[in-house]
Amino acid sequence: MTRIEGKTILVTGGCGFIGAHIARRLIKEGAKIIVFDDFSSPHSEQIEGAINIKGDITDKESIQKVMKGVNIVSHQAAILNMFDGIQDKVHELNVNTVGTINLLDASLDAGVEKFIYASSCGMYGNSFYLPQDETHPKTPAWPYGITKYAGELYCQLYTRLHGLPTVSLRYSEVYGPGEWYGRVLTLFIKRVLEGKPPVIFGEGNLLRDYVYIDDVVEANVLSILKDEINGLAFNIGGPKALNARMIADLVLTLTKSSLQPVFDNPKPGTSSSHQPGRPRLVQELNNFVLDSKYAKNILGWVPKVMPEEGILKEIQWIQENKKKWEITPRV
């Protein structure tokens, strides 16, 4: 079994939502953490107890330098904004895919023991069946899903060709304290706390898979510890699928609000008159629900945090950190 204590672990995107939680957990496990982040978020904060380095994963020389002495890589850095990827596909490809290749090459040169890759359920696109297991057809609806799937394929290729131990984790919708503002749950929470009703696009009945941040961190830790999983990819989904109506109801119930949701149906790419500034995604996905049995059987991982508990924790966090969401929404 791979150890964590005493290892030097590079966490790319370590100042972001998911990366920061992973970095802090690994510090508690006794690892020496190097955070490599471009600090592009207006609320980026250095991770206490880590070596924080500002850098860009598309800069091959910087990656080669920072990789010296690294035992394990947790690659969480990526462009997540769907609209950015649609508008500038080449830049997103460079960061999400070429940046991953840079890290894989540097990991080979450094003799890295394990490379954990943050993949995405976005590679599946619209569902052909539910729940979606790892063999589900890959038909990404946005450039983001293509770039993440390409990165995953490169990880598997480096395992086959070069023997580099890689593991890919296909996250569903990750939520919890520290989440960046712009997605459905965050929009609902912010509006309700401001005394405004949540705005639901369409009928609000499309199912989405939500997984709490602590469960995602645990999946990363198990992927480091577990041997004989090289080249494999796992769905990391939540315990219960939710639609927008259900999410809105939960937020209203947990905040003890008497507000009622507002329904609107703006065209893709345009905003609701009730909520200007946040456009509706183009090519909105139908239902997506991940089947995580493979992760349970191989990693011994199961999601433990139910939506009622996780959403309450996120609400409590933002009540104490309101400035975190005083920014333009990311999608």
Side-chain angles (χ1 to χ4, degrees):
M1 178 181 285
T2 304
R3 290 189 304 109
I4 292 177
E5 185 178 6
K7 298 289 185 179
T8 298
I9 303 178
L10 176 69
V11 183
T12 69
C15 293
F17 167 42
I18 298 174
H21 280 270
I22 291 172
R24 293 187 182 106
R25 169 68 184 276
L26 294 175
I27 289 170
K28 290 181 180 178
E29 297 287 339
K32 174 185 176 182
I33 299 300
I34 301 173
V35 165
F36 192 79
D37 197 291
D38 65 2
F39 297 97
S40 59
S41 168
H43 293 300
S44 293
E45 296 178 357
Q46 296 200 355
I47 303 301
E48 186 177 351
I51 299 170
N52 295 271
I53 298 175
K54 184 176 181 179
D56 186 339
I57 59 173
T58 64
D59 183 345
K60 200 163 187 177
E61 288 187 9
S62 295
I63 290 295
Q64 292 284 350
K65 290 178 182 177
V66 79
M67 195 68 73
K68 293 178 181 178
V70 168
N71 306 119
I72 298 166
V73 173
S74 174
H75 178 28
Q76 309 295 320
I79 290 179
L80 301 175
N81 189 316
M82 299 300 178
F83 279 109
D84 283 354
I86 293 169
Q87 294 168 359
D88 193 344
K89 302 172 184 66
V90 173
H91 178 59
E92 185 175 60
L93 179 69
N94 281 333
V95 174
N96 292 2
T97 304
V98 177
T100 298
I101 295 171
N102 289 341
L103 285 158
L104 288 167
D105 283 337
S107 295
L108 272 180
D109 293 342
V112 162
E113 300 170 21
K114 189 163 288 187
F115 187 103
I116 310 298
Y117 174 65
S119 189
S120 170
C121 66
M123 69 171 58
Y124 293 127
N126 283 308
S127 60
F128 290 83
Y129 58 82
L130 295 176
Q132 294 152 285
D133 57 18
E134 285 81 0
T135 64
H136 186 280
K138 316 302 188 291
T139 56
W142 304 301
Y144 171 77
I146 295 174
T147 64
K148 296 303 286 185
Y149 186 32
E152 183 179 305
L153 291 175
Y154 274 107
C155 287
Q156 295 169 357
L157 180 68
Y158 274 63
T159 296
R160 292 196 305 271
L161 282 183
H162 307 295
L164 179 67
T166 69
V167 181
S168 298
L169 302 178
R170 297 172 182 170
Y171 303 153
S172 62
E173 292 275 4
V174 186
Y175 74 101
E179 182 180 1
W180 45 267
Y181 174 63
R183 293 188 288 184
V184 170
L185 174 58
T186 62
L187 291 164
F188 286 0
I189 292 173
K190 189 172 190 290
R191 284 184 63 85
V192 171
L193 292 180
E194 292 174 346
K196 304 172 185 176
V199 179
I200 296 175
F201 291 163
E203 297 180 359
N205 57 7
L206 298 177
L207 289 173
R208 298 288 183 261
D209 193 313
Y210 282 80
V211 59
Y212 188 66
I213 182 61
D214 288 358
D215 287 330
V216 171
V217 172
E218 185 65 21
N220 277 267
V221 170
L222 290 172
S223 297
I224 292 173
L225 295 174
K226 190 80 172 181
D227 294 327
E228 300 177 356
I229 56 172
N230 297 343
L232 299 184
F234 300 95
N235 283 343
I236 304 299
K240 181 180 179 182
L242 303 169
N243 62 34
R245 287 173 179 255
M246 296 163 69
I247 297 168
D249 287 344
L250 272 174
V251 171
L252 292 167
T253 298
L254 292 169
T255 56
K256 298 181 172 59
S257 173
S258 60
L259 293 166
Q260 294 297 318
V262 171
F263 292 84
D264 199 0
N265 197 26
K267 293 180 180 179
T270 66
S271 300
S272 167
S273 60
H274 300 283
Q275 186 173 271
R278 203 289 189 180
R280 189 176 190 175
L281 275 173
V282 296
Q283 296 192 37
E284 192 172 46
L285 296 180
N286 61 14
N287 303 311
F288 73 83
V289 182
L290 297 188
D291 184 336
S292 299
K293 290 192 185 75
Y294 192 49
K296 177 182 178 181
N297 294 336
I298 305 299
L299 288 179
W301 176 87
V302 292
K304 296 178 181 178
V305 180
M306 296 300 292
E308 295 81 359
E309 177 188 355
I311 292 175
L312 178 59
K313 288 183 177 180
E314 182 159 359
I315 291 170
Q316 292 170 339
W317 170 78
I318 198 57
Q319 285 175 324
E320 298 171 359
N321 299 273
K322 291 181 180 179
K323 289 186 177 180
K324 296 291 186 181
W325 288 354
E326 291 178 356
I327 56 175
T328 303
R330 296 166 64 191
V331 178

